Structure formats: structure tokens, C-alpha cells
Amino acid sequence: MKISTLNLMSMLTLLISYSACVVSQEKNSLQKTYIVHMDRSTMPGSLDDHSQWYISSLKSVSDSAEILYTYKTVIHGFSARLTAEEAKSLEGQPGVLSVLEEERYELHTTRTPQFLGLDKSEALLPESNTVSEVIVGVLDTGVWPEIESFDDTGLGAVPSSWKGECEGGENFSSSTCNRKLIGARFFSRGYEAAYGPINGTMESKSPRDDDGHGTHTSTTAAGSAVAKASLFGYAEGTARGMATHARVAIYKICWLGGCFASDIVAAMEKAVEDGVNILSMSIGGALSDYDRDSVSVGAFGAMSQGILVSCSAGNSGPFPESLSNVAPWITTVGAGTLDRDFPAFVSLGNGKKFSGVSLYNGKALSDSLVPIVYAGNLSNTTTGSLCLTGSLVPGKVAGKIVVCDRGLNSRVQKGVVVKDAGGVGMILTNTASYGEELVADAHLIPTVDVGQTKGDLIKNYIFSDSNPTATISFDGTQLGVQPSPVVAAFSSRGPNPITPGILKPDLIAPGVNILAGWTGAEGPSGLPADTRRVKFNIISGTSMSCPHVSGLAALLKAAHPEWSPAAIRSALMTTAYSTYKNGEAIQDVATGMPSTPFDYGAGHVNPVAALDPGLVYDATVDDYIGFLCALNYTANQIYTLAKKDFTCKLGMKYSVGDLNYPSFSIPLETTSGKGGGSGAKSIVKYTRTLTNVGTPATYKVSLSSETQAVKMLVEPESLTFSKLNEKKNYTVTFTASSMPSGITSFARLIWSDGKHVVGSPIAFSWT
């Protein structure tokens, strides 16, 4: 067959186009998102603005790369898709401080006002019209605006300081916002660059919350009061946020595939420009140096403009050094329990009865005993006890209660697996990784969650009885549970893995079984099989404790609008409590033993006391820059965080310990021997500055310690303040004996005028 010249040219054109497409696809598969930090002071004078400079810098290494976002507020620079070679080449361009591969962050997934004492102290709280001037920005999965928690009844005009807007999009109208929910935006360029266009059948490309997490955190921080709220009758009462009159602004940064750094920074930037006063972020990623962690860099920029940033500590406890968000300019929040529980019971055929927890509300089992089996006995695999999808044989579990071990898949998903195999109920038992921690869930099958000890006893019964039987029952909501609070086992712990000289977390707040608003797009379990729809849900995590502190910070900002973020955090920390009323230390549910400052930081938040702390440990941007100098940060690294040129002074002694922080963490020298105390002594001096935010008074210091290995001397022993905002310095000298590596000990320093108690935890670690 003869091919015409025209046809041949057409074929060649198609071939060339196809080849170019293949090359483009291959390049796209090699590209990743990078965040480029720029030194704006070095922009060539021939250019009119920084955006032009960023574009020309990018084009110098790639003709096809496009900028995702430009940043000018919390960071200086831009984000773009690049190959590794292009990123490396860009890093050598003039004015480029660093080129960092984007990190993916994950979510850290009522009774609270009464538990915190807010219901009994209305007279001490700031006026509602003052609180209504405070704007809490929440970076999360978006918002479900139709629920009553965003009712704006009684609120006046939107604060004049607000510069934001309500963005429309899929399933979300720009007219949805009101005087409570004053703004909503979404950020998806980074996410879509990594995963492709958002699938509108699975999630909304808009501020709409299809997950529930963002609605839960935002209503916890500042939701309006809603009477007779509950989840299936559990935890019934008035649901309200910590700052019921504060305004809420939503920034959707998290999608089905996670939360991407380029989107997070863009949202933080816009929130600062919009005029928020508090930023609440219940997310976390892998630990890295402060100038390489996008949340840390963005938080520094927000802090420098007077915005307090509250972040969750993470859900990787009870393992040590498991924290996220440890920068000292971030308020890092761990999780504790409430004095409320949702008891459920397992009754065995041998007459024994064990208590656990559950939020199941469907048809209950009869009082008649039914056969019970342990999933671990039904499989030869090492994961057989976990009730993973497809792991149960219907013929072996039909009509029976199945005992499943916690781990790998979600707790509620295990019940779905049991149900699909014909099981009639589930007992979910903790393994050593979870100890005695109990987290209630809205199960889809009659289920009781029990701790490790009770779980082992139930398994022993199954192993030893030829015909084991059981039944399950439920007992609603129980109040007044003691001891409370206790540190949640999942709450991430110190020591601080980045800077051991800064104690983290800063404090703990309620984070277990928290009732708050929920999305209408997901059932309470979040599983596809869960077709139930609720207005409120009960979930747990440091994601839940973080917005408690965000909302309480809003109350403090309303009462003291002149306070800096450091002053607000100081007030929350120095008034926190670490013991029960009987003087015993707050317990750690993971061990059943007393917890330590590595678990709870300064202690459990006490908002009423925080409104009048007496004294605060304040800190400025320059104080944090001095801290960076103590870490030997370069001028470029400091510019990345502070957005200004600064060179640490030669010959000046910078000390991490001298950062004006409300807590103390002292890494000490170790001895190689098994004994301690006989080697050379370490002498460390820390200086702190206290600012009077109360009436004139004289404060005297007191010290308590659990160790003889460290002698402490405070000079002077008393401080007299004669006027508001007066500052006084003091020095603590720690003289420590050498001890074996791994030893820790704790102490507490208190300044008191007889009315105010200004407490600081002290953590010693020989490492």
C-alpha cells in the first residue's frame, strides 16, 4: 500500500507528540513538590516584585515547572514541582536559602467545660463581647457549617479586624458563613500535584468537611452552646466549645491522602493575613530541624505577628521521645482523660464479670450466654488475633462472640469483620502496647473494649473451659470517675528529641472520649459500612486536646489582648496542676503509676487560674533568635525562620537553657559506672525573667525535688513587684552529681505571693 506524503507527515507528527507525552509523563512521575525558601533582601534591583524573581529563579532550572504557591508572610519563597536534579540545581541559585522536599502531615486523631471549672466561674471569664473580637483559625479537614454549633444567635457584627472570606466550591456556598463561622477556605494545589485531581464523588473540593475531624476540632475550640447534645444518648448535656463567643475561621488543608506542607504553609499564610488571633493545628509529621519543618517555620512567622499557635503533641505514646511539634514557639498539647466513662460489661459462663467501655447503641444481646472464641485460636498466622479483613472463617464464628486483639486495623473495623463472618458480638482486648487504656467507640456490633489485664483473664477462661460462653451488656454514661484526669496512653511523650533542653509537651488537656460536632457526610466510625449520621460524635486523640487549649487561649486573649503568645502560654503552663487534691501525682494510664513532666509537661490545664496567673514568662522574637544562636544556626537558617538578617555575635555565650521558658529541662553529664554520685559534679546556671501581670506583691520561691543527686539554688529568693508589667530576673544554679545514662528525676519550682502560685516543672536527665 502506498502511503501519501501527507499521511506520512501526520504519522510523524503523532509519533513526535506521543514521544513528547511519554517524556512528559516520565518527568512528572519523577517530580516532587519542593518548598523553596528565599532571601528577599537579595532580589535583583531590575525586577519589580518578588513573584517575578521567584518565576525567573524557577525558569533558570526548568522550562516547564510552575509555581504552586508564592509565600510572603509566614515564609518567604514559593512551592513548585521539580525533579531531584532541578531542586539541587535551584539550591545553588542566588538568594535561595534552602530547597526542601515537601512533607506529608497526618491528623492526630459535653462534659469538658464542667470538668475544667468553666461553668462555675462565669464571673471570672471575660465579657462575651470581648471574646467575640477573638478569631480562632482552625487548619484541618474543613467544616460542616449546618450544625447548631455554628449558630450565630446573639453575636454582633464580624470584627473589623477580619480580612478573610468565605470561599465557595463543591457542595459549599460562599453564603454559608455567618457571624460565628466568619470564614472558610480550602488549599489543595499541593495535594493535587501529588495525587492528581480531587475526586468529587469521594470528597468535596471546597471547605466542606467530608471527614468530620475538622468539624470536631473547631467546635471543641469555639463552638456555640447546644443543649441536649449527645451521641446516641451517650454523654448527653450541653455541648459547647471552650470560647463559645469567639469567631471561627476554617482552613481546609487535609484530604483523603493526608495534609501536604505546601498547602499547610499557604493556609497559615492566609490565616495570618486574614487576621486570626489563634491558630489551632491538630496535625503532625516526621521530626526535623526547626528550619526544615514547615509547621515550625510557619508557626514562627505567625508568632512574630502576635498569633498563638497550638498544636497536638501526637498519638505515638506511651513511647518516649515520640513527640511532634516541639518548637518552643509552638504550644504543644498532650491528652488526658475526663471524669466521664461509658461502661460496658462482659459476663462469662464461669460467673465472672469484667468491665470495659463502649458506645454501641444498637440491638443488645440477650441475657442468655452464647459461645465465645478467641480469634487467635482460629488461625495459624501471627496476625490471626487481630481480626483483619477476611481473616475469620464464618463456620468458626457464626453465632458467637469473638475476642479480637487491638492493633493494625481500626477498632470498629474489627467488629465489621466479626459481623461479616456471622459473629454476634466482639470483645476487643488490649495488648501490651496499649496496656489498660480504654477508648470508647461507636461500634456497629455489640462490643466491649477491655484492658490488657482483663483481656488476658478472658482469654485464659477460653483456653481452660471446654465450652466457654459469655454475654455483653451496656450501662450508658457514668460521671465522677476517679482518678481523673490521667495521662492517655496514646499521648506522645518527651524527652524532646530535637532539643532536650526544652521540655515538651507543654501541658495536657482533655483528649479522651470528647463529644463535639460532626460531619453529615460520614458515620461516627468513619467506615464505609457505617450508614448512621449524627450531629455530634465522641472521639479521642491529641487532636481533641489541642483545640481545648486553642479555645482557652482565645479566652485569655480576650481578657488580656495585650499579652503575647508566650505570655498566654506561660499563664496556661504555670497555673496547670500536676497532682490530685490529695497531693498524689497525676497517673499514667499506660503504667498505672505516677506520670512525670515528660508525660504532662507543666501539668493539666486550669483555665480559671490561668486568667489571673500573677506572673508570666514572656518571650520575644529576639529571644527565640538567641535560642537559635545557641543551637549554632547559621544566618541562612535564622533568616528562613525569622525572615530577617541576623548574625549571632561572636564571643557572646548563647544558652538553650536561658530561653525564657516556663519550664526547665536539664540534660546532665553521665558516668560510665553503675553507681552514681561519686564522679565530677556538673554546675549549670539558668536565668529567667518574670513579668508582673497582677497587682503589686512580693513573691517568694520554694523548691521540691525527688532526688538528692541535684542541689538547687535560686537567687534571689524573693522578688518584689511594685507596678504592672515590671520585670525581675532570677538565676537557678543546678549542681548535679554524675549518674548512669538513662536516669531521670524531677523537681518543681514555685513562686508565690500567697494568692498566686506560679509553678514550673524541672526535668533532669542523664543521657
Side-chain angles (χ1 to χ4, degrees):
M1 182 176 66
K2 188 176 180 180
I3 301 176
S4 68
T5 303
L6 182 60
N7 287 338
L8 182 60
M9 291 180 65
S10 298
M11 290 175 65
L12 287 171
T13 301
L14 287 171
L15 182 61
I16 292 169
S17 298
Y18 174 77
S19 299
C21 181
V22 170
V23 171
S24 176
Q25 289 177 346
E26 288 178 349
K27 184 176 180 181
N28 288 340
S29 68
L30 296 174
Q31 287 180 334
K32 297 179 180 179
T33 299
Y34 290 85
I35 296 178
V36 184
H37 294 269
M38 304 288 287
D39 182 350
R40 293 180 64 177
S41 65
T42 64
M43 184 184 76
S46 59
L47 297 177
D48 294 332
D49 62 42
H50 294 92
S51 294
Q52 288 183 352
W53 181 36
Y54 300 159
I55 293 171
S56 65
S57 298
L58 184 60
K59 293 302 181 185
S60 70
V61 300
S62 172
D63 293 330
S64 59
E66 294 183 359
I67 289 177
L68 296 176
Y69 296 103
T70 57
Y71 309 112
K72 62 180 180 179
T73 305
V74 297
I75 76 169
H76 291 167
F78 61 94
S79 54
R81 297 285 286 182
L82 299 166
T83 64
E85 292 76 16
E86 290 168 346
K88 186 175 181 180
S89 178
L90 183 60
E91 201 159 28
Q93 298 293 320
V96 177
L97 297 172
S98 61
V99 181
L100 305 178
E101 184 179 332
E102 178 179 58
E103 183 180 351
R104 190 177 75 170
Y105 292 74
E106 300 291 345
L107 296 164
H108 285 155
T109 331
T110 201
R111 173 76 176 162
T112 312
Q114 293 93 329
F115 184 68
L116 295 175
L118 295 178
D119 62 321
K120 300 176 181 177
S121 308
E122 296 290 344
L124 300 177
L125 299 179
E127 296 290 336
S128 60
N129 60 343
T130 306
V131 180
S132 68
E133 291 297 309
V134 179
I135 303 166
V136 180
V138 181
L139 276 65
D140 213 297
T141 64
V143 65
W144 194 268
E146 290 81 7
I147 63 173
E148 295 172 84
S149 298
F150 295 110
D151 182 14
D152 64 357
T153 302
L155 289 175
V158 172
S160 59
S161 60
W162 175 245
K163 302 296 188 294
E165 62 182 71
C166 193
E167 292 183 356
E170 292 178 357
N171 305 314
F172 196 94
S173 169
S174 59
S175 62
T176 303
C177 297
N178 58 18
R179 292 171 299 180
K180 179 66 175 178
L181 177 64
I182 62 174
R185 299 181 185 268
F186 66 98
F187 301 82
S188 62
R189 293 178 196 170
Y191 174 75
E192 291 186 286
Y195 283 173
I198 289 171
N199 185 341
T201 63
M202 299 180 68
E203 54 185 337
S204 305
K205 190 174 180 180
S206 73
R208 172 71 62 183
D209 181 12
D210 302 301
D211 177 270
H213 192 278
T215 302
H216 199 280
T217 56
S218 57
T219 55
T220 297
S224 299
V226 180
K228 297 182 179 179
S230 73
L231 172 64
F232 304 134
Y234 289 103
E236 185 173 5
T238 298
R240 50 161 288 185
M242 298 300 95
T244 54
H245 293 91
R247 316 298 178 126
V248 178
I250 298 297
Y251 300 85
K252 183 176 178 178
I253 55 165
C254 296
W255 308 84
L256 285 176
C259 323
F260 285 75
S262 56
D263 295 328
I264 293 170
V265 175
M268 296 179 79
E269 173 133 324
K270 189 57 68 175
V272 172
E273 294 172 356
D274 286 346
V276 304
N277 304 108
I278 309 292
L279 269 179
S280 186
M281 302 174 64
S282 293
I283 58 174
L287 280 173
S288 56
D289 290 339
Y290 302 125
D291 65 314
R292 302 181 70 85
D293 177 357
S294 294
V295 168
S296 165
V297 176
F300 196 107
M303 172 276 300
S304 66
Q305 300 198 44
I307 299 166
L308 181 138
V309 181
S310 171
C311 290
S312 47
N315 298 337
S316 299
F319 306 105
E321 297 187 339
S322 53
L323 294 160
S324 300
N325 303 314
V326 297
W329 45 88
I330 291 174
T331 300
T332 311
V333 188
T337 64
L338 295 171
D339 63 341
R340 178 179 65 196
D341 215 342
F342 308 103
F345 301 94
V346 177
S347 299
L348 301 180
N350 61 4
K352 292 185 178 180
K353 188 174 185 179
F354 299 102
S355 62
V357 298
S358 184
L359 294 171
Y360 175 73
N361 80 310
K363 183 179 179 181
L365 293 177
S366 67
D367 293 336
S368 301
L369 298 171
V370 297
I372 181 174
V373 293
Y374 175 46
N377 290 349
L378 307 179
S379 171
N380 293 324
T381 66
T382 56
T383 59
S385 66
L386 299 176
C387 297
L388 303 178
T389 301
S391 65
L392 298 179
V393 179
K396 294 183 178 181
V397 302
K400 300 175 182 177
I401 293 173
V402 182
V403 176
C404 302
D405 285 337
R406 185 173 167 185
L408 286 187
N409 57 339
S410 80
R411 297 181 296 271
V412 179
Q413 178 65 40
K414 295 175 189 293
V416 174
V417 173
V418 171
K419 183 179 181 182
D420 289 345
V424 298
M426 179 176 70
I427 300 169
L428 185 59
T429 62
N430 284 358
T431 59
S433 299
Y434 303 98
E436 302 307 316
E437 174 192 55
L438 296 179
V439 178
D441 295 296
H443 290 280
L444 293 166
I445 186 173
T447 298
V448 180
D449 296 41
V450 299
Q452 181 188 9
T453 301
K454 294 174 182 176
D456 289 345
L457 292 173
I458 293 170
K459 292 172 192 174
N460 289 338
Y461 164 67
I462 295 173
F463 299 152
S464 62
D465 196 290
S466 60
N467 183 33
T469 57
T471 191
I472 295 171
S473 59
F474 307 93
D475 198 24
T477 303
Q478 179 184 3
L479 301 178
V481 176
Q482 297 299 329
S484 62
V486 298
V487 179
F490 61 75
S491 187
S492 290
R493 316 301 174 93
N496 185 335
I498 299 295
T499 311
I502 299 295
L503 183 64
K504 289 284 183 173
D506 291 313
L507 72 172
I508 62 171
V512 178
N513 297 334
I514 304 302
L515 178 77
W518 196 245
T519 176
E522 287 277 3
S525 69
L527 297 175
D530 192 351
T531 58
R532 301 170 297 179
R533 293 297 180 261
V534 297
K535 294 182 178 180
F536 294 89
N537 197 8
I538 295 172
I539 56 177
S540 302
T542 54
S543 279
M544 285 61 255
S545 53
C546 167
H548 277 89
V549 168
S550 305
L552 296 174
L555 292 179
L556 266 64
K557 184 68 175 177
H560 306 282
E562 74 283 2
W563 281 8
S564 69
I568 293 173
R569 177 180 57 200
S570 174
L572 291 167
M573 289 176 64
T574 62
T575 57
Y577 61 92
S578 58
T579 61
Y580 302 120
K581 292 180 180 180
N582 62 6
E584 294 182 359
I586 291 176
Q587 285 188 16
D588 180 358
V589 72
T591 63
M593 303 294 290
S595 55
T596 76
F598 285 143
D599 306 321
Y600 56 67
H604 190 281
V605 67
N606 182 0
V608 176
L611 287 165
D612 181 23
L615 306 173
V616 295
Y617 294 85
D618 207 353
T620 65
V621 170
D622 287 343
D623 291 322
Y624 292 119
I625 291 177
F627 164 79
L628 298 174
C629 288
L631 297 179
N632 297 315
Y633 269 41
T634 65
N636 279 0
Q637 288 177 298
I638 292 174
Y639 188 97
T640 297
L641 285 156
K643 275 73 69 180
K644 67 178 183 178
D645 292 317
F646 187 91
T647 302
C648 303
K649 296 177 182 177
L650 291 174
M652 182 170 180
K653 184 180 180 182
Y654 295 97
S655 170
V656 168
D658 283 343
L659 177 63
N660 202 39
Y661 216 70
S663 58
F664 296 84
S665 183
I666 301 99
L668 295 165
E669 292 183 9
T670 64
T671 179
S672 58
K674 293 185 178 180
S678 59
K681 294 184 180 297
S682 300
I683 299 177
V684 182
K685 289 189 176 183
Y686 286 4
T687 299
R688 293 288 193 269
T689 301
L690 285 164
T691 302
N692 181 38
V693 292
T695 56
T698 295
Y699 286 79
K700 295 183 178 180
V701 74
S702 61
L703 292 162
S704 60
S705 177
E706 63 181 43
T707 180
Q708 298 296 315
V710 183
K711 303 298 182 185
M712 298 179 289
L713 175 65
V714 179
E715 297 175 303
E717 294 182 344
S718 66
L719 298 170
T720 299
F721 295 90
S722 57
K723 58 183 179 181
L724 187 66
N725 295 323
E726 184 178 6
K727 297 180 183 293
K728 296 280 186 178
N729 297 333
Y730 72 92
T731 300
V732 190
T733 302
F734 302 99
T735 304
S737 302
S738 293
M739 298 288 284
S741 179
I743 297 295
T744 59
S745 189
F746 305 94
R748 192 164 183 84
L749 182 153
I750 293 174
W751 291 96
S752 179
D753 63 350
K755 174 185 177 183
H756 302 95
V757 175
V758 186
S760 294
I762 304 171
F764 303 108
S765 53
W766 286 264
T767 56

